[in-house]
Amino acid sequence: MTTLSFHKNIFCYVELCKPRIVLFCLMMAVGGTLLCPHKINMFKFIIMLIGTALTVSSANTFNMIYERHSDAFMRRTKSRPLVTGKLSLSNVYIFGFLLGVLGILVLLFFVNYLTALLSLFAIISYTLIYTPLKTRTPLALVIGAVPGAIPPLLGWTAADPHISFASLALFSVLFAWQMPHFIAISISQKKDYEAAGIKVVPLVRGEKIAMWQSVIWSVVLLVSSLSLLYFKLGGLIYGLFAITLGTWFLFQSILGIKKPSPAWPRKFFFASLIYLPCLIIGLAVDRLFYTFFI
């Protein structure tokens, strides 16, 4: 094997892990740890991040294995390594399995059993339940949002090996955010999903229903974000961020019904990308203010 082909293979294996999703999950896990009132030592914190990265990468790899046929019909996925034949299926199976086992063992022996168990649940529910259901029912989106919202719990339970109502409030924010975010994607890429045989709401129930669902979930997201105030995970500054961002995001979802246009799904998608980082910034500013000035 030449050096060039070796480097190409390394890049393909990295692509299987979906690095942007891994980075996003790590950010959410960090947030869960920082918001937990219990302290965690730096070693365990770093190990938690390594274990999270490994298990998320494993789930993403198995997702690419299962969807290798449908990926060929979608513009954004048709160049993936398994679709193009750059990697063998058997090697990818081994790669995904090793990532998952190593990640679970790292979390089990160096963090705690609950964090390891949650990671195992995320892998199984994402690869064996959510992914196969995508071609059968649009309810797969709701099911897939569960493992997608687990990263904050991983960060929280690494510091405090118990699932509390406060940690579930964090879970609920990420769970609710995923719904309008992916509804926007499913509307803008409806033709690709149809070609791939994936049952999304706009195809099964129509775009109007999908838009109404985005409004409903935007309301749920606003309520979920404000629940952090009840559990004292955020203060006045965060509350202002949550109300302002939540109201703005809800307004953006309503525009899809009041002023429908071909450009709305993409605009709403970008609105979702703005909303979550800004909400996290609000939490960070709030925490820094109360730490250093009060």
Side-chain angles (χ1 to χ4, degrees):
M1 182 183 294
T2 66
T3 303
L4 181 61
S5 61
F6 175 78
H7 287 160
K8 284 184 177 179
N9 276 349
I10 292 295
F11 180 80
C12 288
Y13 281 109
V14 171
E15 187 179 353
L16 289 173
C17 300
K18 302 182 183 178
R20 286 183 294 182
I21 293 178
V22 173
L23 180 60
F24 173 79
C25 290
L26 290 178
M27 290 171 58
M28 296 300 105
V30 169
T33 301
L34 294 179
L35 289 172
C36 181
H38 294 259
K39 302 296 182 182
I40 183 173
N41 64 62
M42 185 57 66
F43 174 76
K44 185 180 284 190
F45 176 69
I46 293 172
I47 291 296
M48 179 275 294
L49 293 179
I50 293 172
T52 298
L54 289 170
T55 53
V56 172
S57 296
S58 174
N60 289 335
T61 298
F62 282 117
N63 173 262
M64 283 205 191
I65 290 173
Y66 193 92
E67 295 189 330
R68 64 190 186 278
H69 300 301
S70 59
D71 279 347
F73 296 96
M74 302 181 69
R75 286 168 294 177
R76 67 183 179 88
T77 59
K78 64 182 180 181
S79 62
R80 285 177 171 175
L82 281 174
V83 179
T84 57
K86 293 176 181 177
L87 296 175
S88 70
L89 183 60
S90 58
N91 285 346
V92 174
Y93 266 116
I94 294 171
F95 179 68
F97 179 77
L98 290 177
L99 286 175
V101 170
L102 183 59
I104 296 299
L105 290 178
V106 162
L107 293 172
L108 180 63
F109 288 107
F110 297 103
V111 182
N112 59 62
Y113 79 93
L114 180 56
T115 305
L117 189 63
L118 286 170
S119 292
L120 179 61
F121 170 77
I123 293 175
I124 292 173
S125 59
Y126 187 79
T127 59
L128 299 182
I129 302 176
Y130 161 66
T131 302
L133 284 178
K134 288 172 70 176
T135 58
R136 292 171 172 81
T137 172
L139 286 174
L141 174 59
V142 180
I143 295 168
V146 174
I150 281 181
L153 290 181
L154 301 182
W156 184 287
T157 58
D160 176 21
H162 302 89
I163 296 178
S164 63
F165 285 112
S167 65
L168 290 177
L170 281 177
F171 170 89
S172 71
V173 172
L174 190 52
F175 176 88
W177 172 82
Q178 291 176 88
M179 305 306 293
H181 174 75
F182 285 109
I183 286 173
I185 295 175
S186 66
I187 295 175
S188 63
Q189 300 182 16
K190 185 172 69 171
K191 290 183 179 179
D192 277 4
Y193 282 114
E194 184 175 18
I198 297 175
K199 307 293 185 184
V200 292
V201 176
L203 286 172
V204 177
R205 297 173 185 166
E207 288 190 17
K208 197 74 171 180
I209 295 296
M211 291 175 182
W212 272 110
Q213 287 190 5
S214 72
V215 172
I216 293 169
W217 282 110
S218 296
V219 173
V220 174
L221 178 58
L222 175 58
V223 174
S224 297
S225 67
L226 293 176
S227 72
L228 302 191
L229 296 172
Y230 177 80
F231 293 106
K232 295 180 171 48
L233 297 179
L236 177 61
I237 295 174
Y238 166 75
L240 293 174
F241 269 80
I243 292 172
T244 302
L245 287 167
T247 304
W248 169 76
F249 191 64
L250 176 59
F251 174 74
Q252 297 301 315
S253 70
I254 293 172
L255 285 179
I257 296 171
K258 294 295 185 181
K259 296 181 179 180
S261 72
W264 175 81
R266 189 166 181 81
K267 289 180 179 179
F268 188 54
F269 168 74
F270 282 115
S272 71
L273 294 180
I274 293 171
Y275 171 87
L276 193 60
C278 288
L279 189 71
I280 294 171
I281 289 171
L283 268 173
V285 171
D286 184 271
R287 181 57 61 94
L288 289 172
F289 179 80
Y290 283 96
T291 299
F292 292 105
F293 297 105
I294 294 181

